Amino acid sequence: MLVAQGRRRVVLMIGGSLVDQTAFLIGFSVMSVASLAIYATGKKTQPSGHHTLLHASVPFIAATAYLAMAFGIGTLVNSDGSLTYLARYVDWSVTTPILLSGLVLLAFHEHGKTGEVGGYLTSVIVLDVLMIVTGLISSLAAPSMAKWIWYGWSCVAFLGVLYLLWGPLRSLALNRGAALGTAYGKNLTFLTVIWFLYPIVFLIGPEGLKLITDPASVWAFLIMDVIAKVVYAFYAAANLDKALAHDHGERGHRA
């Protein structure tokens, strides 16, 4: 059943198409299992134990969001007929700062003053959350110039995040040694490439230019989420382990 609220209606039923619901349930299942797998296979001790906790929490949060979307909770039908999944934006506003925190911590790798680390963490996370919130506003806005202004402002915030990651933080990572600098560069490149796809799918999807259907958009976001939150977790852990083993070997050789 749908309840009208002004120009927007809240979906109260287990909703969306059957195709959408199937995708959401698959997303819930994959993310749930992945969260357990990441924690089970990850290192539990320092200096990489906290990375395991961070990466295991990301798909668990995503699983919660996919379960909510499967039940139609927080799904809005906009005035132009497009759907906005609030749970998706809540997921991104929590999981992307966690992923970025992992990169910032890798860049410093147990060095740096508390204020310095906190400053970069705060700046990156604030810009990231601003990117998500303005993207949500763009999704909710009726087709107009305002929609594209908010979309553009979201992209500006995204560029701000990339500047910090590729600029000062990359320099800090390289100063920690070649191995850790390489691990940071690989992880950052992976995440940058997959994150660039999100605004593109938004742009061509039902929330933007409507070049693809809602089911196509849902499946595209699901695939990207699995890559960004699950595949990336294993990839980042492997790079970090390799870098730490290299540093340990070098210290042993010097000794």
Side-chain angles (χ1 to χ4, degrees):
M1 179 176 64
L2 300 179
V3 177
Q5 292 189 349
R7 300 179 63 189
R8 191 166 292 114
R9 294 173 294 171
V10 181
V11 179
L12 299 179
M13 64 179 182
I14 295 180
S17 68
L18 180 61
V19 175
D20 287 355
Q21 191 178 2
T22 300
F24 295 146
L25 291 175
I26 290 175
F28 167 72
S29 301
V30 171
M31 293 296 181
S32 300
V33 173
S35 179
L36 294 174
I38 292 168
Y39 182 76
T41 61
K43 299 290 179 63
K44 308 298 189 301
T45 58
Q46 298 305 327
S48 56
H50 59 287
H51 288 278
T52 298
L53 293 174
L54 288 173
H55 288 297
S57 68
V58 167
F60 185 83
I61 295 168
T64 305
Y66 274 102
L67 186 61
M69 289 188 285
F71 281 98
I73 297 173
T75 302
L76 303 181
V77 181
N78 298 311
S79 58
D80 61 353
S82 64
L83 299 179
T84 295
Y85 300 101
L86 294 182
R88 174 184 289 163
Y89 289 92
V90 173
D91 167 10
W92 290 344
S93 68
V94 178
T95 56
T96 55
I98 294 175
L99 293 173
L100 291 173
S101 296
L103 277 174
V104 173
L105 293 175
L106 177 58
F108 283 97
H109 187 58
E110 302 184 325
H111 291 79
K113 298 178 180 179
T114 302
E116 186 181 16
V117 178
Y120 277 110
L121 273 173
T122 301
S123 299
V124 169
I125 290 174
V126 167
L127 284 171
D128 175 66
V129 173
L130 181 64
M131 173 184 71
I132 304 301
V133 171
T134 51
L136 172 59
I137 295 173
S138 177
S139 173
L140 295 174
S144 64
M145 181 61 69
K147 172 184 280 288
W148 300 114
I149 290 175
W150 284 111
Y151 174 81
W153 196 238
S154 178
C155 292
V156 169
F158 181 36
L159 293 177
V161 172
L162 292 180
Y163 165 75
L164 292 175
L165 294 175
W166 282 98
L169 285 168
R170 182 169 177 269
S171 297
L172 287 168
L174 291 173
N175 289 336
R176 299 291 177 257
L180 285 170
T182 298
Y184 176 88
K186 288 181 178 180
N187 292 353
L188 176 56
T189 299
F190 187 106
L191 211 54
T192 299
V193 171
I194 188 63
W195 276 18
F196 255 111
L197 298 177
Y198 282 85
I200 294 175
V201 173
F202 180 99
L203 178 64
I204 65 176
E207 295 169 287
L209 298 174
K210 306 183 188 306
L211 299 180
I212 61 175
T213 63
D214 180 73
S217 172
V218 165
W219 281 99
F221 279 123
L222 171 59
I223 293 170
M224 291 187 297
D225 276 351
V226 171
I227 294 173
K229 298 170 181 176
V230 178
V231 177
Y232 173 74
F234 290 105
Y235 179 78
N239 288 333
L240 177 59
D241 290 344
K242 183 178 179 180
L244 293 177
H246 182 274
D247 277 2
H248 181 75
E250 280 196 341
R251 286 196 296 269
H253 180 72
R254 287 196 296 269

